[in-house]
Amino acid sequence: MHLQNNLKVQITLLVVLFSMLCSAQQPYKRTLKLMGSRFDITVVANDEAQGNASIAVAIAEITRIEKLISSWDPNSETSSINRNAGIKPVRVDTELFNLIERAIKISKLTDGAFDISYASMDRIWKFDGSMDVMPSEVEIMTSVAKVGFNNIVLDKNESTVFLKLEGMKIGFGGIGKGYAADKAKALLIAQGVPSGIINASGDMNTWGKQPNGSEWKVAITNPMNKNKVFALLPITDGAVVTSGNYEKFVNFNGKRYTHIIDPRSGYPSSGIISVTVFAPTAELADALATSVFVMGKEAGLDRINQLPKIECIIIDDRGVITKSKNIEIDKI
């Protein structure tokens, strides 16, 4: 009888252990195209059904954001703002108004290196191999004549946005994917998803830890050899964005001009080939990564070092790695 009781206890323990193993949380991942870009959505869940349901919530939220900010959709509020440039203010949803207001704050913070009115720029630079002559100085100056965040007029009481110049446009190419990743992450956390990663074409947004208790790690690509990684950095409940321009560029008079263009001057950035920014939100990291390219290594690094909870890694066109003051890199 005593032996039978012991056997029952052992069997019960084995059943409980097996049940715990079967219900152990695992990461579930889906890759798809959203906002015209690749999104990798990973969530930690108890089972596949729960994981798929959480991923579906993220997809729905990102799709909602795309409809809100898209300048390609003629029915979006953003398109309405652009159509009425120089004509009249447009009343918009509070969410879009607040996003534009934050974008203008980043423009002020970066002295205009980041500017959502970049969409007004004439596309005179081509990075598809078709350019054989550099644009003239007059063409370059003309191309940015309607760019300028100071010409975006906000009325908070009326929740309206007005672009002063006829033909002026705004676009969220430098901030939209990061914002969508932030919103999807916030929604999943609110629904009790304990951990995950939303990778919006290099805009990485994480929360929680891996099922084994270790931190999520972000690989920093070596821009001199994109098939190699030069560092792995842990990240918990934050965002990291890497912008690279080592694939899209042109050479004129011995100088390399890349596809990230200074919205103030109309000239492409030069001297930097990769910028990685760590920030509390992907929206901010996204905007600052572009800004550092435009500002240049010294000015960009100086600005980052003045901002709390923001860090960056810069790789210049000679392969020299420079980092902000509070970051440590363990090379691999």
Side-chain angles (χ1 to χ4, degrees):
M1 187 69 178
H2 184 68
L3 182 62
Q4 282 184 328
N5 285 340
N6 280 344
L7 188 59
K8 286 180 181 177
V9 170
Q10 288 175 8
I11 290 171
T12 302
L13 287 172
L14 285 170
V15 169
V16 171
L17 181 61
F18 179 73
S19 176
M20 287 174 65
L21 287 172
C22 288
S23 65
Q25 291 186 325
Q26 298 178 54
Y28 295 91
K29 180 180 176 181
R30 187 172 170 193
T31 299
L32 67 163
K33 191 172 184 179
L34 295 166
M35 303 180 76
S37 302
R38 171 175 167 154
F39 272 70
D40 298 291
I41 302 171
T42 302
V43 297
V44 170
N46 292 325
D47 54 54
E48 187 174 0
Q50 188 183 65
N52 287 337
S54 295
I55 290 171
V57 167
I59 292 170
E61 180 68 353
I62 292 164
T63 303
R64 183 188 71 81
I65 296 298
E66 181 177 20
K67 288 180 180 177
L68 180 72
I69 68 174
S70 173
S71 56
W72 300 104
D73 180 356
N75 298 314
S76 74
E77 291 184 344
T78 301
S79 292
S80 182
I81 292 169
N82 291 342
R83 275 196 307 273
N84 287 284
I87 301 171
K88 64 178 181 179
V90 174
R91 185 184 294 274
V92 299
D93 186 89
T94 302
E95 183 178 5
L96 181 60
F97 184 93
N98 290 341
L99 178 62
I100 294 170
E101 187 175 46
R102 290 196 303 276
I104 292 173
K105 287 179 181 177
I106 297 172
S107 294
K108 292 176 179 176
L109 180 70
T110 61
D111 301 322
F114 173 83
D115 192 334
I116 58 171
S117 70
Y118 79 92
S120 314
M121 203 181 300
D122 296 333
R123 304 295 188 264
I124 60 172
W125 295 90
K126 310 291 182 185
F127 300 95
D128 56 5
S130 63
M131 278 188 79
D132 51 17
V133 177
M134 185 171 171
S136 69
E137 189 174 336
V138 172
E139 287 176 314
I140 293 169
M141 287 177 63
T142 303
S143 73
V144 292
K146 294 177 182 177
V147 177
F149 68 92
N150 288 319
N151 289 318
I152 304 173
V153 181
L154 303 182
D155 185 329
K156 203 170 187 70
N157 292 328
E158 297 294 326
S159 192
T160 60
V161 182
F162 177 54
L163 307 182
K164 284 184 181 180
L165 307 178
E166 188 177 347
M168 189 177 173
K169 297 176 184 177
I170 59 171
F172 298 93
I175 201 172
K177 292 194 299 295
Y179 176 63
D182 287 337
K183 293 293 286 184
K185 168 185 169 179
L187 189 55
L188 291 177
I189 291 172
Q191 294 195 355
V193 178
S195 180
I197 301 177
I198 297 176
N199 180 357
S201 293
D203 294 12
M204 301 278 288
N205 210 337
T206 74
W207 71 101
K209 293 187 178 182
Q210 297 185 57
N212 64 7
S214 63
E215 296 172 308
W216 298 108
K217 287 184 171 61
V218 176
I220 308 298
T221 303
N222 181 348
M224 297 301 188
N225 184 347
K226 62 181 181 179
N227 295 317
K228 291 185 177 181
V229 170
F230 81 82
L232 277 173
L233 292 154
I235 179 170
T236 302
D237 195 25
V240 56
V241 171
T242 297
S243 291
N245 61 10
Y246 35 87
E247 292 180 331
K248 296 180 181 179
F249 61 91
V250 291
N251 285 300
F252 289 117
N253 304 317
K255 188 172 181 178
R256 191 174 190 248
Y257 296 92
T258 65
H259 76 284
I260 298 176
I261 297 174
D262 187 338
R264 301 164 299 186
S265 69
Y267 281 87
S269 60
S270 60
I272 296 175
I273 58 174
S274 176
V275 174
T276 299
V277 172
F278 298 81
T281 66
E283 174 190 316
L284 184 56
D286 203 356
L288 290 176
T290 303
S291 301
V292 171
F293 261 108
V294 171
M295 296 168 78
K297 184 163 70 173
E298 288 75 21
L301 196 64
D302 180 65
R303 193 58 49 90
I304 292 293
N305 281 330
Q306 295 177 49
L307 301 175
K309 299 181 181 179
I310 311 288
E311 303 296 338
C312 78
I313 300 169
I314 302 170
I315 304 176
D316 67 20
D317 52 11
R318 295 170 297 157
V320 176
I321 300 169
T322 309
K323 60 184 181 63
S324 55
K325 60 186 178 184
N326 295 318
I327 195 167
E328 295 296 330
I329 303 175
D330 292 324
K331 293 184 181 179
I332 61 173

